[in-house]
Structures are given as structure tokens and as C-alpha cells.
Amino acid sequence: MLIIGHRGCSYKGYNQNTIRSYKKVIEEGAKAFEFDVQLTKDKKLVVVHNLNLTKVSNGTGLVSTKTLKEIKELNAGKIENGKDEIPTLEEVLDLVSSYPKEKRVVMHLELKGDNTGLISGNIIKKYIDEGFLQIDDFLISSFNWVELDLIRTICPQINIALLEGSIRRKQLLPLLNSNEEIFSKIFSYGEEDYMLPISDDFETSKKVVENEVKDENDLKILIEEIHNALNGKYYTQKLIQTALEKNAVSLNLWYKTVDKDFIEEVHKNGLKVFLFTVNEKADIDRLKILKPDGIFTDYYMQTKNYYLENK
């Protein structure tokens, strides 16, 4: 099973999605790490997870409203974990290409936000065309499957993965009477385009919605959506068929909501399954039943050692 460093690592003294965190897991022997790219106001690609900078830097506001110069003035993550710039995509590619092929990791690059596919594709193509990297150094993923189609117009052979398991803001909002500010009160990543229930326990999430939402129409819709998300209703034959039509190599799914039967069905169709984000020992133990092809984890070495000792 492939163990993937999620945003590099989240060890004490390390900020995620930074050059130092990627170097750390590479030196620990990781075969892959994951990171997220977003566009700045001046159309540069930076490596940062949240759309809003507040929780992932010492800055505030949306990444898309800042220039690259403004982003570079911030510290990635918490100052107490070290002084780290928010890297550009090119800086991450420079790091990986500096290693010999036998030590090079596969980059699981997630496209976040609109218009990231084409620009990422052009940058990646340049590195491949100039011989610094190879096509198999990448697996491109996104919840926004249009962006996967777009990057394929630049790099037709690049491997892609469909991300699924999150509640889609743009599909949900038109059904509601409430404005989108309600999402930050009832979902994790409530300011993002792709949100998660605030708890993986349905009754807990339901109670939060009931406390915050007064409109009966909205209450019904939101509770149903959370129920669907937590009970694996997003994991359908149609999802598998879409992945096959797009010639994807994997489905990247939320480990808390997927079951063994669906993973087996995905495997029968020749696709891989990577699960996000597995950190707890009890959840690692559950992998014996689920049998995914790989997992994303914030604690690469700890997870690797526990898995090898208990598989």
C-alpha cells in the first residue's frame, strides 16, 4: 500500500505545504507526497491548501485576492513551527527534479479553484519538455473535474484522479433560501467550494444544522445532503463510469465514508483507490478491511511504521 505524505508532513517543527515538509518526507523514503495549487491575483500558482489564508499562514483573506509578492511576504503555517515561505509550483518542481530518478517522488498535485488546470499544465509541460521531469512523476487530482479535462488539453498523457466525498457548494447553494454564510457554521471547510460535514457522526452533524438553520426547506435539504455524504451515497457506478470515460487512474475518496464493497467494485473496473486523510491508529487498522491502494497521511513515518508492524 502506498503511503503518501499529505501536504508533506505535519510533524512538530514543520509547516505543511512547504519545501521543508516535502524534503522531510522525501528523506524519510516516501514514494509520493501531495500538495495543492491555487492561483494568485496575478495568475501565479502557489502551493497552499485553504482558499482563505487565515488558517494556513499569518495572513488573512483569499489567496485569489493577493499578488505573488504579497503571498511571499507571509509565513506558511505557524511561526512556532518554523519560518517558511509559501512556495510556488515551480519551486516544488525544482525540488523534486533535483533528486535522481531512483529517489524521486510522485507528486500528487491537487488543482484547487477555477483556472488552475491550464496554467498548471503549461508549467508541467515545460519541465517535461526540458527533461527535468517525466510524465510519471505526476498524478493530478481535483474535485473540479473540468480542471482535469483542461490540464489534459496541455498534457494528454498525464495521470489524473477524480476526488470525491465532499459536499459541492455550487450545486447545493441554488437549492437553498439561506445565503452561503451559513456553510461556515455547519460544515468543515465551509468557505471552500468542496465542504465536509462538521462531524463524521450523522447525529452530531444533524444537531449542528438544526441549531443553526431555521428555514424548514433548507433544514430538510441540508440534513439529506449530510446523510448522503456520510453514508457513501456519492460513491456510485456513475462515478466509476465517469472515471473510466476520463481515462483516470484512480478515485481519491474520503476514508470515513467509503466501504469495502465500493472499493472492490472500483478495483474490478481497473481503477485504483487512494483514501484521504488517515492519521489515527484505529483508522489505519480499518485499512485491513478496506484494502485501498494507498492513503494520504499527515504523519508519514509514524503511519508507515504502524502499518508495517500491524498489517
Side-chain angles (χ1 to χ4, degrees):
M1 186 183 71
L2 181 65
I3 299 175
I4 305 158
H6 182 237
R7 309 180 205 165
C9 64
S10 187
Y11 305 154
K12 183 178 180 180
Y14 286 86
N15 289 306
Q16 289 188 301
N17 270 338
T18 62
I19 297 299
R20 281 197 310 122
S21 72
Y22 305 142
K23 283 182 177 178
K24 180 65 174 175
V25 294
I26 292 172
E27 294 304 319
E28 289 179 333
K31 302 300 182 185
F33 66 76
E34 183 266 358
F35 60 94
D36 317 88
V37 296
Q38 294 187 52
L39 277 178
T40 63
K41 182 179 179 180
D42 48 349
K43 305 303 179 185
K44 304 298 182 182
L45 279 170
V46 291
V47 178
V48 59
H49 179 266
N50 293 28
L51 300 184
N52 192 306
L53 289 158
T54 304
K55 293 183 179 180
V56 289
S57 76
N58 60 342
T60 60
L62 299 177
V63 172
S64 60
T65 66
K66 308 292 183 182
T67 64
L68 177 60
K69 182 178 183 296
E70 290 171 324
I71 293 289
K72 281 296 187 179
E73 291 171 350
L74 303 176
N75 195 75
K78 298 178 180 179
I79 294 290
E80 56 263 38
N81 280 333
K83 294 182 178 180
D84 297 286
E85 283 190 352
I86 294 174
T88 62
L89 174 57
E90 291 92 336
E91 287 169 335
V92 177
L93 301 188
D94 287 342
L95 169 69
V96 175
S97 64
S98 71
Y99 287 89
K101 182 61 178 175
E102 63 271 14
K103 197 172 181 179
R104 194 176 298 165
V105 295
V106 175
M107 290 170 281
H108 286 242
L109 186 163
E110 181 182 342
L111 302 171
K112 289 182 70 77
D114 297 334
N115 306 312
T116 49
L118 289 176
I119 297 177
S120 295
N122 282 317
I123 293 172
I124 290 169
K125 185 176 185 298
K126 181 176 183 291
Y127 275 77
I128 293 172
D129 288 348
E130 294 180 358
F132 295 110
L133 293 167
Q134 298 176 6
I135 200 77
D136 60 359
D137 291 326
F138 298 91
L139 177 59
I140 310 299
S141 65
S142 187
F143 285 105
N144 186 340
W145 303 339
V146 171
E147 295 302 322
L148 296 176
D149 294 335
L150 290 172
I151 197 170
R152 276 270 181 85
T153 66
I154 307 297
C155 303
Q157 302 304 316
I158 204 159
N159 289 327
I160 63 169
L162 274 60
L163 274 162
E164 184 56 286
S166 293
I167 295 168
R168 296 169 183 265
R169 181 191 203 91
K170 291 178 182 177
Q171 293 180 12
L172 186 57
L173 191 59
L175 305 177
L176 303 178
N177 297 319
S178 303
N179 63 42
E180 58 189 332
E181 291 179 1
I182 195 69
F183 292 154
S184 63
K185 299 179 180 179
I186 61 175
F187 294 126
S188 294
Y189 303 109
E191 298 176 349
E192 308 268 334
D193 290 333
Y194 303 94
M195 308 173 292
L196 295 177
I198 209 159
S199 169
D200 62 336
D201 175 72
F202 173 68
E203 291 301 324
T204 300
S205 284
K206 178 183 176 185
K207 186 175 181 180
V208 171
V209 175
E210 289 172 339
N211 288 340
E212 296 291 344
V213 179
K214 307 308 176 186
D215 185 281
E216 290 188 8
N217 169 75
D218 293 1
L219 190 62
K220 179 181 177 181
I221 290 173
L222 289 165
I223 289 174
E224 181 179 3
E225 193 68 30
I226 289 170
H227 181 270
N228 289 341
L230 291 175
N231 285 275
K233 300 298 183 181
Y234 296 165
Y235 306 136
T236 63
Q237 190 63 44
K238 182 179 179 181
L239 173 61
I240 295 174
Q241 187 59 39
T242 300
L244 293 173
E245 290 171 357
K246 292 183 180 295
N247 195 27
V249 300
S250 73
L251 292 175
N252 294 5
L253 311 174
W254 191 18
Y255 79 96
K256 291 185 177 181
T257 54
V258 70
D259 60 29
K260 180 183 178 183
D261 289 343
F262 186 74
I263 291 178
E264 288 179 349
E265 188 64 25
V266 175
H267 284 158
K268 286 178 184 177
N269 282 272
L271 296 165
K272 293 182 178 181
V273 176
F274 297 119
L275 302 181
F276 62 88
T277 302
V278 184
N279 290 327
E280 302 298 327
K281 290 180 179 180
D283 296 321
I284 299 170
D285 291 339
R286 184 170 170 246
L287 301 176
K288 298 174 187 177
I289 299 172
L290 295 180
K291 297 182 179 179
D293 299 280
I295 60 169
F296 300 91
T297 181
D298 293 324
Y299 307 102
Y300 171 78
M301 185 56 73
Q302 175 183 314
T303 299
K304 175 185 175 181
N305 290 341
Y306 184 81
Y307 173 73
L308 291 175
E309 291 166 3
N310 294 277
K311 69 176 181 179

